[in-house]
Amino acid sequence: MIAVSFVVLMLIVQVSTISMLTDDETKNLTSLNLDSIHSNNVDVFRQLLNQETIIRMTLVKNVHALMKDMLTLQEKLTAAENRISKIHTSTDHDISKLKEEVKLLKTENEFLKNNSAQVRADIDHLNENLTDLSNTLTDVKIEVRYLSITLFDINTNLRETAEILQHHNNSMKNINSDIANNDRKQSASLLELGKQHVRFIDDIRNTTRTLKADIDQFQTDQWRLSASVSSLELFRNNQTKCDPNQEVAFTASVTSYSSTWNSGTLIFDVVITNTGNGYNPSTGVFTSPISGTYVFYITAVEYTTQHLAIDIVLNSVSKVRAYCHNSAGYQTGTNMVVLKLQKGDSVWVRFAGGTGYDTEGVPLTTFSGYLIS
């Protein structure tokens, strides 16, 4: 086929080279007898000759291009033939596979034909079962309707029960709230009662301590009072024997309270009695005008709850001490001493401990002494 195409192409090229000016004759144009041509047509002929030359050259170029395209076409045709051969080979292989698959399908078809009777029997059985199922489904629908009605009643009852339960829950919440409030109130009351109980116990303890201190003080004062009564009785008995000109006795108190006194001699600057002029209110010192036996007595009240200790001193020597304890406010301390004095001996009250002392319009803190023999 390729060879035939090539021969045809060559014939076309040969025919195209025939000059149109020589009436299809292949004569040499250069051998024309120019003498036979009229001189007027020489220019025209030359122009035609040039045009023919140009046409020939164009035809040659076209022929070469056509030959090149033919070669390219031949190559593509060869490649196409190769592809077609491969396709034929692949197609034959696929056809063989398809034939085998057709055989298998025929075998399966035969098998299915053989089983079709059993399938039809099964279908009939299924149809019967379907009929039974339809009947059963109808019964189930009836039951469902009945159950729906029952369920509606149950839902109504459940709603009513839920409302009752909600009411009970609200009541329980209110009850729990009331219980919690009562618990808080009772807890607060119990706490307050506990605090009051603690305060009451503390007050009882303080009162007990105060009473105990007062009882102790009362017992001390009672003992001292008994001693004073004995001393006074002795003084009264001796008074009948003493010379009236020898009477010596004094009692003095402080002018006002002091919260800061804490050293030196306690000066009782208010004289209540000073028989014999033995007591000096400026210095707070008693100087015996005559020799004899004397009784001295002190009473002191502490300032608020500040304890106080004072001594009766003979010639700078402490003899007895009165003490006021600070377990309670304004405690009283007393003491008494009987001293044998020589004329000119000095007795006074000196600081021993604590801070301050108290008194009122009627004297509380006092210093007394008298001659008994």
Side-chain angles (χ1 to χ4, degrees):
M1 183 175 179
I2 296 173
V4 172
S5 299
F6 183 75
V7 171
V8 171
L9 181 62
M10 292 301 294
L11 289 174
I12 292 172
V13 172
Q14 289 179 359
V15 172
S16 66
T17 59
I18 298 174
S19 175
M20 293 187 299
L21 297 178
T22 58
D23 297 329
D24 297 334
E25 292 181 0
T26 59
K27 293 181 180 181
N28 190 354
L29 297 178
T30 59
S31 64
L32 293 176
N33 189 3
L34 299 176
D35 293 335
S36 62
I37 302 172
H38 194 272
S39 60
N40 294 327
N41 298 326
V42 171
D43 295 332
V44 174
F45 180 78
R46 287 178 179 174
Q47 292 177 355
L48 294 172
L49 184 61
N50 291 332
Q51 291 177 357
E52 182 183 5
T53 303
I54 293 169
I55 291 170
R56 285 183 178 183
M57 292 176 67
T58 304
L59 289 174
V60 170
K61 290 180 180 180
N62 292 333
V63 167
H64 284 299
L66 185 60
M67 290 296 291
K68 185 176 180 181
D69 293 337
M70 288 296 294
L71 292 174
T72 302
L73 182 61
Q74 184 178 2
E75 292 176 357
K76 292 181 178 180
L77 184 61
T78 302
E81 288 178 351
N82 292 330
R83 286 196 297 272
I84 290 171
S85 177
K86 291 180 180 179
I87 291 171
H88 281 303
T89 303
S90 175
T91 303
D92 292 338
H93 180 69
D94 293 337
I95 289 171
S96 299
K97 287 185 176 181
L98 291 173
K99 287 180 179 180
E100 292 177 358
E101 292 178 357
V102 167
K103 288 180 181 180
L104 292 173
L105 290 174
K106 287 180 178 180
T107 303
E108 291 179 357
N109 191 20
E110 291 295 331
F111 178 75
L112 292 174
K113 285 180 180 180
N114 294 329
N115 292 334
S116 62
Q118 181 66 33
V119 171
R120 288 192 185 93
D122 294 337
I123 290 172
D124 294 335
H125 181 68
L126 289 175
N127 288 329
E128 293 176 358
N129 292 335
L130 183 60
T131 302
D132 295 336
L133 183 61
S134 297
N135 296 329
T136 305
L137 184 60
T138 302
D139 296 336
V140 169
K141 287 180 180 178
I142 295 171
E143 293 292 334
V144 167
R145 290 193 192 96
Y146 175 74
L147 290 174
S148 297
I149 295 170
T150 306
L151 184 61
F152 179 76
D153 295 336
I154 292 172
N155 287 331
T156 302
N157 293 330
L158 284 175
R159 283 195 294 271
E160 293 175 355
T161 305
E163 291 176 357
I164 295 171
L165 183 61
Q166 183 65 33
H167 177 70
H168 286 307
N169 288 333
N170 293 332
S171 299
M172 288 300 294
K173 288 181 181 177
N174 292 330
I175 291 170
N176 290 330
S177 178
D178 293 337
I179 291 172
N181 292 330
N182 291 330
D183 287 340
R184 285 194 293 270
K185 291 179 181 178
Q186 290 179 359
S187 297
S189 299
L190 289 174
L191 182 61
E192 184 63 26
L193 287 174
K195 292 180 179 178
Q196 291 178 359
H197 179 70
V198 172
R199 288 196 296 267
F200 181 71
I201 294 298
D202 291 338
D203 291 340
I204 289 174
R205 288 176 179 173
N206 292 331
T207 304
T208 302
R209 285 195 295 269
T210 303
L211 290 174
K212 185 177 180 181
D214 291 341
I215 290 170
D216 293 339
Q217 184 65 39
F218 176 74
Q219 290 176 349
T220 302
D221 292 342
Q222 187 178 11
W223 175 79
R224 289 173 179 172
L225 183 60
S226 298
S228 298
V229 169
S230 299
S231 298
L232 289 174
E233 184 66 24
L234 180 62
F235 174 74
R236 186 181 64 82
N237 293 330
N238 290 331
Q239 213 37 33
T240 58
K241 302 177 183 178
C242 293
D243 187 356
N245 295 327
Q246 293 181 346
E247 291 183 1
V248 178
F250 73 94
T251 297
S253 69
V254 294
T255 304
S256 61
Y257 72 88
S258 173
S259 62
T260 59
W261 179 74
N262 58 6
S263 64
T265 301
L266 179 55
I267 299 174
F268 297 86
D269 53 355
V270 177
V271 175
I272 297 174
T273 300
N274 192 10
T275 302
N277 295 320
Y279 179 75
N280 185 354
S282 298
T283 60
V285 177
F286 171 77
T287 304
S288 61
I290 59 174
S291 300
T293 302
Y294 291 80
V295 175
F296 296 95
Y297 186 83
I298 55 172
T299 300
V301 178
E302 67 177 355
Y303 181 78
T304 64
T305 56
Q306 301 175 153
H307 79 279
L308 176 63
I310 54 178
D311 294 345
I312 295 177
V313 178
L314 171 60
N315 296 329
S316 299
V317 178
S318 296
K319 296 300 181 179
V320 294
R321 178 171 296 176
Y323 183 76
C324 305
H325 196 271
N326 61 352
S327 59
Y330 302 101
Q331 293 292 303
T332 301
T334 62
N335 212 335
M336 182 183 69
V337 64
V338 178
L339 298 175
K340 185 72 173 179
L341 302 182
Q342 300 296 323
K343 183 179 179 180
D345 288 341
S346 298
V347 178
W348 68 91
V349 177
R350 186 172 61 187
F351 172 83
T355 304
Y357 51 83
D358 191 32
T359 190
E360 294 181 357
V362 177
L364 299 177
T365 301
T366 61
F367 177 35
S368 300
Y370 52 86
L371 175 67
I372 59 174
S373 61

